[in-house]
Amino acid sequence: MPIRQILVPVSTDTGADQLIRNAIAIAQRLKAHVVVTDTLATHFADIAATDLVSSPAYADVMKQVEARHTKVRETIKQQFHEAVKASDIRLAERGSPTFATARWIDNSEYYNPVWAFGRLCELVIARRPVRAISPEQTVVEEALFETQRPILLLPSKGTHFEGGSAVAWNGSLEAATALERAIDLMDRHAPVTVIQVGDLPGAWAEKMQKVL
């Protein structure tokens, strides 16, 4: 399935600049439309639904959280526009079949942008969680279970997409589906290393390497 639209939900300003720049680079290579949004309103709603509601300090705490989220949102938005300017990608409300485009969506307008836009995209790019309980982990779980779209998890530092690719292959349906959905992300002019995982009859890495 060709990748025409990419969703990039950003849950924190830590590592957001690199995440957005990598997503734009992928969109440019695929001539795709990349939609970048924050998920802070979603986390704000989660906090508002906790047992803190009955606390006398609830109103003050929520004001502080909202102020913090507004500041972080503005930082992420600024990083998005700086990345757009540096990459020379075009800003647009919707994609084009001939060139890459980008769009920023303010999550304060939506309860959950992963639900709202994830199912309309062919790929979700998110930051790889560093902790089991974190906003990044919540984003990954929402993208995985609510959109059922392929998810590309990127570390916050030192990532680039030049050079070869590695494929872990065991011949299973899951491996075949993952490879099919990731193949557009591979550099067709770079080497592909196929790693044999498991030992299913006839599912040899050599056969898959010839197909690729």
Side-chain angles (χ1 to χ4, degrees), residues 22-74:
N22 282 327
I24 288 177
I26 292 172
Q28 287 179 311
R29 194 170 73 188
L30 300 174
K31 296 181 180 178
H33 181 57
V34 57
V35 177
V36 181
T37 182
D38 69 274
T39 60
L40 298 172
T42 306
H43 307 322
F44 184 83
D46 291 340
I47 295 172
T50 64
D51 294 336
L52 186 65
V53 174
S54 59
S55 170
Y58 174 77
D60 290 337
V61 171
M62 294 308 295
K63 286 181 180 178
Q64 294 177 20
V65 171
E66 186 173 12
R68 168 61 179 165
H69 283 182
T70 299
K71 182 178 179 180
V72 172
R73 178 179 294 114
E74 289 304 313

Side-chain angles (χ1 to χ4, degrees), residues 62-139:
M62 294 308 295
K63 286 181 180 178
Q64 294 177 20
V65 171
E66 186 173 12
R68 168 61 179 165
H69 283 182
T70 299
K71 182 178 179 180
V72 172
R73 178 179 294 114
E74 289 304 313
T75 299
I76 296 171
K77 185 176 180 179
Q78 180 181 356
Q79 291 174 338
F80 166 78
H81 285 291
E82 289 175 353
V84 166
K85 185 176 180 180
S87 65
D88 202 31
I89 194 172
R90 302 188 191 185
L91 288 172
E93 292 293 313
R94 56 184 63 183
S96 167
T98 56
F99 52 83
T101 54
R103 177 188 179 190
W104 165 264
I105 293 179
D106 191 332
N107 184 25
S108 62
E109 302 173 10
Y110 301 91
Y111 168 68
N112 192 317
V114 176
W115 297 356
F117 299 99
R119 297 173 187 177
L120 304 176
C121 299
E122 289 78 36
L123 177 67
V124 178
I125 299 179
R127 185 184 179 212
R128 187 172 63 198
V130 295
R131 297 187 305 274
I133 301 177
S134 64
E136 294 92 341
Q137 181 68 25
T138 300
V139 166

Side-chain angles (χ1 to χ4, degrees), residues 79 151 162:
Q79 291 174 338
I151 307 170
E162 297 177 358

Side-chain angles (χ1 to χ4, degrees), residues 125-196:
I125 299 179
R127 185 184 179 212
R128 187 172 63 198
V130 295
R131 297 187 305 274
I133 301 177
S134 64
E136 294 92 341
Q137 181 68 25
T138 300
V139 166
V140 171
E141 291 178 358
E142 289 174 348
L144 180 63
F145 297 113
E146 298 296 336
T147 72
Q148 296 187 6
R149 297 302 188 189
I151 307 170
L152 179 61
L153 298 180
L154 302 181
S156 58
K157 297 180 180 179
T159 304
H160 61 87
F161 292 91
E162 297 177 358
S165 305
V167 176
W169 178 251
N170 65 359
S172 66
L173 177 61
E174 292 80 4
T177 301
L179 177 58
E180 177 190 11
R181 294 186 171 187
I183 201 162
D184 283 343
L185 300 174
M186 297 179 181
D187 187 341
R188 301 296 178 92
H189 303 290
V192 177
T193 301
V194 182
I195 304 170
Q196 181 75 49

